[in-house]
Amino acid sequence: MAIKDLTRDLTKRIASSHIKWSLIIFFVILLFNFIFTPNFFHIEIKNGRFYGSIIDVFNRAAPVMLAAIGMTLVIATGGIDISVGSVMAISGSIAAVLIAKMDVPFWMVLCLPLVFSALLGAWNGLLVSYIGIQPIIATLILLVAGRGIAQLVTDGQIIVFEHPPFEFIAGGSLFGLHFPIIISFGVFLIILFLFKFTALGLFVESVGGNSEASKYCGINAGRIKLVVYIVSALCAGIAGLIAASNIKAADPNTSGDGLELNAILAVVIGGTSLNGGKYFLVGSVIGALIMQSLTTTILTMGVPVQVTLVVNAIVVLVVCLIQSKNFRDILAGIFKLDFRGLLRRMPLKGGNK
Amino acid sequence: MKLSFSINQKYLSIIATISVFVILYIVSCIVFEGFFSEMVFINFFIDNAFLGISAIGMTFVILSGGIDLSVGSVIAMTGVITATLVEQAHLDPLIVVPIALLSGSFLGLLMGCIIHFFDAPPFIVTLGGYFLARGIGQVISLESLPIYHPFFQFFIMEGIPIGDTVIIPYIVVIFLVLFVIAVYVAHYTRFGRNVYAIGGNIQSARLLGVPIGKTRVGVYTLNGFCSALAGIVYTMYTSGAWSLSGKGFELDVISAVVIGGTLLSGGVGFMAGTMFGVLISGIIQTFITFQGQLSSHWTRIVIGVLVFIFILLQRFFSSLPVSSKATRVTYASMREQAELTK
Amino acid sequence: MIESTPILQVKSLSKSFPGVKALAGVDLSVWTGEVHALMGENGAGKSTLIKLITGVYRRDQGEIIYNGEKVNFSSPREAQEKGISTVYQEVNLIPTLSVAENIFIGRFPPEGVKINWKSIKKSAEDSLKKLDLCLDVTQPLSSFPIAIQQMIAIARAVDFQAKVLILDEPTSSLDAKEVNLLFSIIRKLRDDGLGIIFVTHFLEQVYEISDKITVLRNGLLVGEFETQSLPRLELVAKMMGKDLEEFENTEKKLDSAVQVNGNRKNGKSFIQIRGFGKKGMIYPFDLEINKGEVLGLAGLLGSGRSEMAKLLFGIERADKGKIYIDKKAVSGSSPKFSIKKGMGFCPEDRKTSGIIEDLTVRENIMLAVQTRQGLFRKIAKKKQDEIVAQYIKALNISTPSPEQKIKNLSGGNQQKVIVARWLASQPRLLILDEPTRGIDVGAKAEIQKLILKLSREGMSILFISSELSEILRCSTRIAVLRDKVKVAEMMNQDIDESAIMQAIAEEDNGN
């Protein structure tokens, strides 16, 4: 009885929430794989670690997921951060140079890139909140200049290194899980709780919803924005460390290329509006997983990898259509679609007897 | 005197752009011997013809209050289509070029329709276009495709001679002709003014009877056409095409437009500003080439810094008091009128 | 020249939106050469009616007869081309375009591909001249004051060979002089033979300019009246849908409440302001507000009322002067600081500075309490629910649930949520800037009563309003502002409306 109520309550909450569409898409992709891709859900344990396509999805989604988490908060304040790819490249490059060219302790290899990322985030935040530049232009500056800075750090070279402790970041495992999964979900939980159990979340939504009114409520919008841009850059910085550790090298030219677009896409798939206001961190995480699972599906099915781009385009189209009020009105007009009604009637009947 | 100054308000930004170009040019000419030559000057145009053509389309998009992230991908896609059809299918370039132009325009049309009819954010829709065009390009071919057809050589090797030794290649002529048409369209046609209007305030524009749909869809179609043309010019310029080329190119284009004084929020800007924005990025590249010791990544850093400076300048200009002489006089006379009619 | 039919006739027009019957069987007749006022509270259906006439919405039933023909416009543009032009409350022009372009955008003369800027400029100047306006039409619209922009909008509307001109609350953001100027233009247009529909909230203006009044209530037609033969009180009663007597009774009740209030004037001082001012906003002023006192701020729009409040609350930073709270000097000026010191501020513009549309009623109420608590001490959900339930009840906010998004509430209820937001933070001084503007008469009375109740409980209130009668009814003392200077301060008992008006208008008398 209690479980039935709980399930119903949960279903109801999901059905009425913004993340229902992303959940549905994710499950459709998984279902597709369940039927058509053999061994997609097959998980085996090698060297005390889980392996398998589904694990791979979570592992590879880590950088986009991290960037999307930070991006969600930035977008919630009504901003956008298109510099994350460049920040990721800079962070990786600094780490690589520190390892390969300088003799510094390991904790500094971890900290310095992140400190520098945070500074870059603060720069973005200052431009947006205190100088009042439109977010897309403010972060465009760093996007354009940032890759130049990364190239400057490595002197235009791809720096290769060997450093077992650092390689653990991407190659290691904890509790049988790949370390990037631990990192990305760790960051996700920390931020989720940080914003939920302080008033930060409410203030972020309030600033994004109406910055002027927030000012009248005594909320320092500038400081809130500063915080989210720093968080976003930090997330990108962590992603940079993972990427550098993964290929045991820093490539200032291609590392984080297009990360900003993938992250924004993940956020939008997750149901957060680009206009700011309400945000859905869980949705963004699912959004990142959707994109990675699509890529993995295409790869495991033996389709050329370049088709992924076309599939991505279709995902964008679907997201645009689903979020478009006009489209839903048209759809509702044609099919008299009663989604909640359908959900209430269909899936619960058999499940919990 | 005062009156002319007050009218200048909206020209301040473009004057700043032109000043930066002139200063950079003079400084370069002083620093480097041989910088001050027809050849170098024409090279600004040759090296940046495709950037300029794309920037013209992007200026319309940004003026309308939108953005288009797909341009780099469309350039790669049309390049690959052109190269494949000419070199592998052995079609006549006179058939291939229209096909390439149509494919770019069609993608623009498609994005414009989605943006307008489903009221979807341009940023996301054109992100879809970015993936789609890049994907189509890569599905057609992952190889770097050279083009040997004389048709394409012609546009880069031949041109209008000026003086004895220097010619203006036809790709530059294409760029300049398109530029003149664009200035005309932006300032003297209904379509152009409607673009400014919807960029200024789309809700008001709707109530004022501006055809929103036609204009928005038109803008993205036009930009698709410009991107496709830029792609063809790019294949002429590099004598080849590659589906991975033009990565991050949309940024260069947007930067050039912003440096040209067009506000990313829409409604304010000049086509001529974009021309100078393109020339400024050209001059920076040439400067770094002439200097010889600076590595090429300085180009991006300098452009980033310039974008920053320009945005600060624009903010400064827009914070200047608006009470110019012309408007104040009018208001005073209104007040008198009010007294009279009482 | 007596015409037998109206230029515009609306017959039993109906329109429903999902869940709401917005308009049911409404008639309206507008004749040439008359100003026809359209009155009604919020939600009465005024704007729906306008939108049906101009083709923004499609009607469900009824017919519109214009110029002797049945019409069915599909867009405002079509309506405009046929001669029905609309000027809206917010100036719906393009601020970045020039004045001339704003008059011609969307309808450039049809000849040729190329726009002939010379002739455009000339025609723009001509059409402005018709309204006795003379200005540089090449300047961007944004460089002119709102009133001029409004008149440019009218010039554009009239330029369409308009036969019917609809003015949808055009005077909301204008000061008295500008309103006069606008009215002289409206009279001129009326004498030229236009039929003018004038939508407004201001009673005085209706009586000053209109010939006939049509009153709507809850989507229904109350009736059409000759302005001259309809007393004001009766008009208000018709708009409210209350019996005249009942209405007078409430007024009396309120008045007697005030009498009690007015006598309690010698409270202890809560806040003293000495020489507070900021260049370009307001000249230095002194002000003292006692505990449990309602201090009314009177003055015209733009006289510095809102500026005074903003400075006091720290929205803008003062460049000189000092504040003493409980006789102690305080330093620092930011909204957050003011909230910590026990102030609250309901700003004038509810939509842009009050509500946060996408947040729920609960979240909107909790914001000020939360900032008072600080960022890291989040109030538990249970506690939140208690507070919210308490104020929804106390202020009689009608919302299906605390988790409803605030944008789905009516204007009056939104205003109450904002008031609840500040009450929940338990302020010692509450600043109310036009709390009753744009909300229906019922909610208005409730808020006035609330002000009196709160002051009786010991809260200090700074009450800003354009309506003198409202200020007189609620305040213990009244401060008057003129042209950014505080010019007078008087006790409520000593004065009446004419005394305040004299203070406001002193300069004009001197001439």
Side-chain angles (χ1 to χ4, degrees):
Chain A
M1 232 358 239
I3 292 173
K4 192 176 171 186
D5 283 349
L6 209 72
T7 335
R8 181 176 294 161
D9 182 52
L10 198 68
T11 323
K12 216 163 142 191
R13 277 175 62 179
I14 290 172
S16 64
S17 80
H18 276 69
I19 59 173
K20 66 181 170 203
W21 290 108
S22 49
L23 268 178
I24 290 169
I25 297 176
F26 190 45
F27 282 122
V28 167
I29 295 169
L30 292 186
L31 192 70
F32 177 86
N33 281 303
F34 184 71
I35 299 167
F36 295 104
T37 321
N39 295 334
F40 191 86
F41 288 91
H42 181 77
I43 295 174
E44 56 181 6
I45 305 177
K46 266 191 270 175
N47 307 330
R49 205 190 285 196
F50 294 105
Y51 282 95
S53 292
I54 189 76
I55 300 288
D56 200 50
V57 166
F58 282 82
N59 191 18
R60 283 172 190 267
V64 172
M65 202 192 284
L66 282 166
I69 289 167
M71 187 71 76
T72 309
L73 299 170
V74 172
I75 289 179
T77 63
I80 200 155
D81 183 356
I82 55 174
S83 71
V84 287
S86 294
V87 174
M88 179 172 166
I90 293 173
S91 157
S93 301
I94 293 177
V97 169
L98 287 176
I99 293 169
K101 305 230 168 115
M102 290 174 203
D103 190 24
V104 294
F106 182 57
W107 63 269
M108 277 182 76
V109 175
L110 292 184
C111 285
L112 275 181
L114 295 185
V115 168
F116 201 73
S117 303
L119 284 176
L120 292 173
W123 160 263
N124 281 335
L126 285 176
L127 291 189
V128 171
S129 55
Y130 292 102
I131 304 189
I133 301 176
Q134 266 174 287
I136 188 169
I137 317 180
T139 53
L140 171 75
I141 296 168
L142 191 55
L143 170 57
V144 174
R147 213 155 276 284
I149 296 172
Q151 287 163 341
L152 207 63
V153 170
T154 66
D155 207 16
Q157 311 293 312
I158 295 176
I159 294 182
V160 188
F161 56 81
E162 267 187 42
H163 191 275
F166 189 75
E167 284 162 27
F168 183 82
I169 295 175
S173 70
L174 195 66
F175 314 125
L177 288 171
H178 294 267
F179 204 56
I181 303 180
I182 303 280
I183 296 178
S184 54
F185 275 89
V187 169
F188 166 65
L189 288 178
I190 290 171
I191 289 182
L192 188 71
F193 284 105
L194 183 66
F195 281 70
K196 199 116 197 158
F197 287 114
T198 68
L200 260 176
L202 177 64
F203 287 0
V204 162
E205 290 184 335
S206 143
V207 167
N210 185 342
S211 154
E212 179 73 9
S214 307
K215 186 177 170 187
Y216 280 80
C217 295
I219 298 170
N220 189 335
R223 210 173 295 165
I224 299 287
K225 285 183 187 168
L226 190 62
V227 169
V228 295
Y229 282 95
I230 291 176
V231 170
S232 170
L234 265 178
C235 289
I238 297 172
L241 294 185
I242 295 178
S245 163
N246 193 28
I247 58 169
K248 302 184 183 71
D251 180 355
N253 300 310
T254 60
S255 169
D257 195 22
L259 179 71
E260 61 280 350
L261 300 181
N262 287 316
I264 293 166
L265 189 51
V267 174
V268 174
I269 292 174
T272 303
S273 157
L274 277 182
N275 297 326
K278 285 270 168 202
Y279 68 84
F280 308 94
L281 275 176
V282 182
S284 303
V285 167
I286 297 171
L289 289 175
I290 287 175
M291 294 172 59
Q292 186 56 49
S293 57
L294 274 176
T295 314
T296 307
T297 306
I298 289 165
L299 279 177
T300 46
M301 289 187 68
V303 177
V305 68
Q306 52 267 31
V307 176
T308 317
L309 292 167
V310 180
V311 175
N312 272 354
I314 295 168
V315 171
V316 174
L317 182 70
V318 171
V319 167
C320 283
L321 293 186
I322 286 176
Q323 296 197 341
S324 154
K325 203 183 162 303
N326 295 359
F327 180 75
R328 275 177 302 179
D329 289 351
I330 295 168
L331 213 64
I334 297 172
F335 298 110
K336 297 269 179 241
L337 196 72
D338 178 8
F339 180 77
R340 261 174 235 178
L342 274 178
L343 200 84
R344 220 179 300 127
R345 275 192 301 274
M346 283 169 54
L348 277 180
K349 284 275 160 68
N352 40 35
K353 271 187 182 157
Chain B
M1 263 313 280
K2 272 199 171 152
L3 195 77
S4 71
F5 181 75
S6 69
I7 290 172
N8 280 348
Q9 185 94 32
K10 66 175 179 180
Y11 298 117
L12 280 177
S13 190
I14 192 174
I15 289 170
T17 307
I18 296 174
S19 315
V20 167
F21 172 74
V22 170
I23 291 167
L24 278 177
Y25 189 66
I26 291 174
V27 168
S28 306
C29 290
I30 293 170
V31 174
F32 303 115
E33 217 174 303
F35 204 98
F36 182 68
S37 74
E38 286 164 324
M39 203 53 228
V40 171
F41 195 77
I42 287 171
N43 271 337
F44 290 157
F45 289 89
I46 299 174
D47 294 341
N48 291 293
F50 64 100
L51 177 70
I53 291 169
S54 191
I56 287 169
M58 186 66 90
T59 307
F60 278 110
V61 173
I62 292 179
L63 280 176
S64 79
I67 195 136
D68 190 343
L69 300 176
S70 71
V71 289
S73 305
V74 175
I75 284 178
M77 178 185 83
T78 44
V80 171
I81 290 176
T82 311
T84 317
L85 290 183
V86 172
E87 293 298 325
Q88 287 170 16
H90 301 291
L91 286 177
D92 191 285
L94 288 176
I95 300 169
V96 174
V97 168
I99 291 175
L101 290 177
L102 272 180
S103 64
S105 313
F106 180 73
L107 186 66
L109 176 76
L110 198 69
M111 294 191 296
C113 286
I114 295 173
I115 289 168
H116 176 65
F117 291 111
F118 298 120
D119 200 21
F123 194 94
I124 295 297
V125 175
T126 57
L127 177 59
Y130 163 96
F131 286 124
L132 185 65
R134 183 71 66 189
I136 291 174
Q138 292 189 10
V139 168
I140 294 175
S141 170
L142 276 172
E143 311 284 309
S144 175
L145 308 164
I147 289 193
Y148 305 107
H149 199 286
F151 179 83
F152 291 87
Q153 312 272 317
F154 172 79
F155 279 88
I156 182 87
M157 304 306 286
E158 303 293 321
I160 301 168
I162 46 165
D164 298 332
T165 49
V166 185
I167 58 158
I168 302 176
Y170 285 119
I171 60 166
V172 177
V173 176
I174 294 174
F175 169 37
L176 294 178
V177 169
L178 187 73
F179 173 71
V180 171
I181 295 173
V183 170
Y184 183 85
V185 169
H187 296 283
Y188 292 103
T189 65
R190 287 172 194 82
F191 173 76
R193 300 324 292 173
N194 289 346
V195 170
Y196 277 86
I198 64 172
N201 185 333
I202 191 163
Q203 282 86 16
S204 296
R206 183 174 286 130
L207 288 170
L208 293 176
V210 174
I212 308 285
K214 236 196 265 173
T215 311
R216 279 179 112 184
V217 174
V219 160
Y220 287 95
T221 313
L222 178 69
N223 192 39
F225 173 84
C226 287
S227 308
L229 186 61
I232 293 167
V233 167
Y234 189 68
T235 26
M236 292 167 174
Y237 176 66
T238 58
S239 307
W242 186 32
S243 57
L244 291 175
S245 63
K247 273 214 160 175
F249 180 71
E250 55 280 348
L251 288 181
D252 299 337
V253 179
I254 295 170
S255 305
V257 175
V258 170
I259 292 177
T262 301
L263 287 188
L264 263 186
S265 46
V268 179
F270 294 97
M271 204 47 81
T274 297
M275 168 64 97
F276 282 97
V278 170
L279 290 181
I280 285 173
S281 42
I283 220 169
I284 294 169
Q285 282 162 23
T286 319
F287 185 96
I288 285 167
T289 319
F290 262 76
Q291 207 272 348
Q293 300 203 317
L294 289 172
S295 37
S296 65
H297 40 255
W298 278 101
T299 316
R300 304 212 96 185
I301 297 180
V302 173
I303 289 180
V305 170
L306 268 183
V307 170
F308 175 59
I309 292 172
F310 265 88
I311 289 158
L312 284 190
L313 273 180
Q314 284 175 357
R315 283 203 59 77
F316 173 71
F317 290 146
S318 59
S319 68
L320 284 178
V322 277
S323 58
S324 58
K325 187 92 177 169
T327 55
R328 210 186 309 141
V329 169
T330 317
Y331 191 49
S333 72
M334 294 286 308
R335 277 279 159 92
E336 281 161 26
Q337 291 267 341
E339 305 296 334
L340 282 176
T341 48
K342 254 185 210 170
Chain C
M1 280 292 283
I2 299 167
E3 290 178 58
S4 54
T5 53
I7 179 80
L8 178 71
Q9 198 170 13
V10 168
K11 284 185 185 163
S12 59
L13 211 57
S14 297
K15 173 76 186 172
S16 297
F17 295 110
V20 204
K21 184 100 187 169
L23 216 56
V26 168
D27 302 331
L28 176 73
S29 304
V30 182
W31 301 72
T32 53
E34 75 168 10
V35 177
H36 195 121
L38 188 57
M39 306 275 304
E41 296 177 30
N42 279 12
K46 291 170 301 189
S47 50
T48 311
L49 176 58
I50 301 292
K51 284 178 177 161
L52 285 171
I53 293 174
T54 54
V56 179
Y57 298 149
R58 294 299 175 84
R59 59 178 180 262
D60 296 342
Q61 273 162 19
E63 56 186 32
I64 300 170
I65 298 163
Y66 168 67
N67 216 3
E69 284 170 39
K70 279 188 196 175
V71 289
N72 194 4
F73 301 123
S74 60
S75 70
R77 190 180 186 185
E78 197 192 334
Q80 203 165 54
E81 276 161 6
K82 297 275 166 59
I84 301 183
S85 286
T86 315
V87 173
Y88 300 89
Q89 179 178 4
E90 296 91 22
V91 180
N92 275 299
L93 297 176
I94 318 278
T96 50
L97 293 185
S98 73
V99 172
E101 264 187 275
N102 266 298
I103 293 177
F104 282 96
I105 192 80
R107 55 178 201 104
F108 284 110
E111 72 267 11
V113 180
K114 189 182 172 200
I115 295 172
N116 185 346
W117 285 118
K118 255 189 199 150
S119 81
I120 294 282
K121 185 169 174 252
K122 180 85 181 28
S123 338
E125 278 166 356
D126 287 349
S127 56
L128 286 171
K129 242 174 229 145
K130 279 186 211 151
L131 306 185
D132 293 329
L133 272 175
C134 201
L135 48 86
D136 181 357
V137 295
T138 59
Q139 292 286 343
L141 183 81
S142 57
S143 55
F144 294 95
I146 296 287
I148 304 289
Q149 295 187 19
Q150 190 79 260
M151 287 161 206
I152 293 168
I154 293 177
R156 175 188 164 96
V158 174
D159 209 42
F160 276 92
Q161 313 294 318
K163 294 199 177 72
V164 174
L165 178 63
I166 302 172
L167 300 168
D168 190 356
E169 300 204 34
T171 55
S172 295
S173 49
L174 306 189
D175 68 24
K177 268 184 188 166
E178 292 168 338
V179 168
N180 276 331
L181 189 56
L182 181 70
F183 280 2
S184 69
I185 288 175
I186 293 179
R187 286 194 194 98
K188 190 167 156 31
L189 293 173
R190 178 192 62 194
D191 297 342
D192 289 349
L194 257 71
I196 295 169
I197 301 176
F198 181 57
V199 184
T200 185
H201 272 310
F202 298 101
L203 290 181
E204 285 89 29
Q205 294 180 0
V206 170
Y207 281 95
E208 190 182 336
I209 192 94
S210 74
D211 305 306
K212 278 188 208 136
I213 304 174
T214 289
V215 180
L216 301 181
R217 188 179 67 241
N218 294 334
L220 296 168
L221 177 71
V222 176
E224 189 196 277
F225 311 93
E226 294 284 335
T227 309
Q228 297 312 322
S229 53
L230 183 70
R232 276 181 200 213
L233 211 52
E234 212 169 302
L235 171 60
V236 174
K238 286 193 191 309
M239 285 164 65
M240 284 180 61
K242 286 184 182 169
D243 285 340
L244 200 53
E245 281 163 36
E246 189 193 332
F247 179 65
E248 278 173 334
N249 281 340
T250 0
E251 295 262 302
K252 270 191 197 127
K253 251 184 255 161
L254 276 170
D255 281 342
S256 60
V258 178
Q259 294 308 300
V260 181
N261 199 46
N263 293 332
R264 296 169 53 260
K265 61 196 175 207
N266 291 321
K268 270 171 75 185
S269 160
F270 167 67
I271 188 168
Q272 283 175 303
I273 300 143
R274 293 279 168 261
F276 222 51
K278 180 175 175 150
K279 223 177 152 205
M281 269 185 89
I282 188 161
Y283 291 99
F285 62 91
D286 293 343
L287 200 70
E288 189 168 348
I289 307 172
N290 295 330
K291 285 173 187 161
E293 177 187 52
V294 181
L295 178 66
L297 271 190
L300 297 174
L301 195 77
S303 62
R305 302 172 317 196
S306 302
E307 286 77 2
M308 193 184 245
K310 280 184 190 167
L311 221 52
L312 188 55
F313 193 65
I315 298 287
E316 300 274 348
R317 209 174 273 266
D319 51 18
K320 45 174 99 70
K322 274 206 132 7
I323 292 188
Y324 302 85
I325 291 176
D326 293 329
K327 304 247 162 77
K328 275 191 233 95
V330 293
S331 59
S333 80
S334 72
K336 195 175 169 188
F337 181 80
S338 306
I339 291 170
K340 287 242 160 77
K341 286 286 166 202
M343 295 192 223
F345 182 14
C346 292
E348 182 181 12
D349 193 332
R350 185 175 59 236
K351 205 151 184 104
T352 61
S353 355
I355 63 165
I356 293 161
E357 284 193 337
D358 277 332
L359 296 191
T360 63
V361 170
R362 173 177 59 82
E363 287 165 323
N364 266 292
I365 292 180
M366 292 313 295
L367 273 175
V369 192
Q370 187 64 62
T371 29
R372 204 170 175 177
Q373 283 268 319
L375 182 59
F376 295 105
R377 291 169 53 210
K378 184 158 182 186
I379 298 155
K381 180 77 172 27
K382 207 175 150 200
K383 182 94 205 268
Q384 290 192 26
D385 289 339
E386 278 172 25
I387 296 176
V388 170
Q390 178 193 341
Y391 284 100
I392 286 182
K393 186 152 174 271
L395 296 185
N396 198 11
I397 299 170
S398 93
T399 169
S401 126
E403 302 303 322
Q404 179 78 345
K405 283 192 177 169
I406 194 169
K407 66 177 169 196
N408 298 332
L409 268 55
S410 74
N413 280 308
Q414 289 179 356
Q415 186 66 48
K416 286 190 207 165
V417 170
I418 304 302
V419 174
R421 168 191 294 169
W422 291 110
L423 293 185
S425 78
Q426 298 178 327
R428 301 172 63 199
L429 168 66
L430 183 59
I431 306 169
L432 299 166
D433 192 352
E434 299 272 16
T436 59
R437 177 193 285 183
I439 64 176
D440 60 58
V441 184
K444 200 167 181 169
E446 278 183 65
I447 283 181
Q448 290 175 3
K449 271 189 223 162
L450 182 73
I451 290 172
L452 299 176
K453 181 168 162 281
L454 289 171
S455 82
R456 231 171 290 139
E457 288 164 8
M459 195 184 286
S460 310
I461 288 165
L462 183 65
F463 179 44
I464 303 173
S465 174
S466 303
E467 283 183 42
L468 286 183
S469 58
E470 189 179 63
I471 288 209
L472 275 169
R473 190 177 302 144
C474 299
S475 338
T476 336
R477 269 187 313 142
I478 293 162
V480 180
L481 288 162
R482 185 180 67 229
D483 293 338
K484 299 176 181 166
V485 185
K486 186 183 155 199
V487 291
E489 200 178 298
M490 30 192 138
M491 297 305 294
N492 194 353
Q493 289 146 312
D494 315 339
I495 48 167
D496 53 15
E497 284 199 22
S498 66
I500 302 180
M501 280 201 273
Q502 214 156 7
I504 292 173
E506 215 159 83
E507 189 184 36
D508 295 337
N509 288 358
N511 289 345

